[in-house]
Amino acid sequence: MQNNSNQKHVKNHWSLGLLESMNDPSSVYKETDKVVVIKDKYPKAKVHYLVLPRDNINSIYNLDKSHILLLEEFGKVFHDIQEEHSDLELKAGFHSIPSMQRMHMHIISKDMISACLKTKIHWNSFTTSFFLPYKDVLRSLKDNGHVEKISTEKHKTLMSTPLKCNQCEFVPKNMPDLKKHLLSH
Ligand code: AMP
Ligand code: ZN
């Protein structure tokens, strides 16, 4: 047989990492017939999971009314996971411009205490309206049959939003200051 050495050494692009994690039993937290929940590899809070559909749906902008049942399943999974972590307040939602392929919903605790949380971009991606709450996405799908994309301008504005604590009115000087403050909650 021909040895195709070119193919042998092809490494998947980093943006396909979630698909690899979906097939790695040590990354999978739970699964149903429609969705797989994985542990976020670089968690930005004490609890951080990602919910992905088994179907090859690339993003929330590919959803239509036929996906309402699927999205309701995301909601059930969120509800179950909140019950399993009843000591923490969790939120569920999508990044309006994700970096990883395959549609994925973040389930993340509000503490935001994690060594992997390092940059203002990390912070603003979970604490500004760049983070699209699960309920709003489902509402939009039911009312309009699709999810609206945000403009480049709005994206820029959200990412440069000044730091502010997500649990009180504290305005930190920088990320180290914010991380120290978060421990006080
Ligand atoms: P985003 O695409 O911005 O919605 O976020 C992607 C999320 O995937 C981030 O929270 C990353 O920490 C996480 N992540 C990146 N690579 C992997 C991986 N291979 N397995 C699991 N989670 C990952
Ligand atoms: Zn605070």
Side-chain angles (χ1 to χ4, degrees):
M1 267 230 299
Q2 203 185 351
N3 178 3
N4 190 340
S5 58
N6 279 342
Q7 260 177 13
K8 236 165 78 178
H9 298 291
V10 168
K11 181 110 178 62
N12 275 339
H13 190 261
W14 59 265
S15 69
L16 295 168
L18 303 186
L19 300 177
E20 285 169 19
S21 293
M22 276 176 91
N23 292 311
D24 170 8
S26 70
S27 295
V28 174
Y29 176 63
K30 64 164 71 196
E31 36 194 329
T32 71
D33 59 335
K34 293 196 191 74
V35 309
V36 179
V37 183
I38 60 172
K39 293 173 246 176
D40 195 291
K41 199 171 176 178
Y42 310 100
K44 306 299 186 297
K46 285 181 183 168
V47 165
H48 192 179
Y49 299 110
L50 301 171
V51 187
L52 298 101
R54 287 190 193 277
D55 285 350
N56 183 15
I57 302 169
N58 202 39
S59 99
I60 51 170
Y61 305 112
N62 297 122
L63 298 175
D64 58 39
K65 287 198 173 174
S66 72
H67 299 104
I68 290 173
L69 270 181
L70 171 68
L71 222 61
E72 284 173 343
E73 175 100 357
F74 275 49
K76 277 189 215 128
V77 165
F78 172 46
H79 180 81
D80 291 349
I81 293 181
Q82 176 64 80
E83 289 203 329
E84 288 155 17
H85 297 280
S86 54
D87 54 326
L88 294 169
E89 193 184 341
L90 307 185
K91 60 177 192 172
F94 301 84
H95 279 160
S96 43
I97 304 179
S99 54
M100 302 296 283
Q101 293 193 44
R102 178 69 63 94
M103 168 189 163
H104 52 278
M105 180 176 84
H106 294 262
I107 294 181
I108 185 165
S109 56
K110 283 200 178 154
D111 53 86
M112 302 296 280
I113 294 174
S114 167
C116 295
L117 181 88
K118 291 176 177 158
T119 66
K120 185 175 176 177
I121 300 277
H122 288 158
W123 181 257
N124 282 341
S125 74
F126 289 101
T127 59
T128 68
S129 57
F130 181 81
F131 186 85
L132 304 173
Y134 160 74
K135 280 201 165 145
D136 293 356
V137 170
L138 180 59
R139 183 79 269 148
S140 170
L141 211 52
K142 284 181 174 172
D143 291 352
N144 313 317
H146 70 278
V147 183
E148 203 74 50
K149 280 190 184 166
I150 65 164
S151 67
T152 316
E153 210 42 54
K154 184 165 183 206
H155 177 214
K156 270 194 206 154
T157 310
L158 291 174
M159 286 302 121
S160 56
T161 304
L163 295 175
K164 184 184 167 296
C165 179
N166 63 336
Q167 294 155 78
C168 76
E169 296 306 310
F170 180 70
V171 176
K173 287 194 281 287
N174 49 36
M175 280 304 289
D177 196 21
L178 173 59
K179 285 172 69 74
K180 196 173 133 209
H181 169 78
L182 290 172
L183 298 172
S184 73
H185 280 291

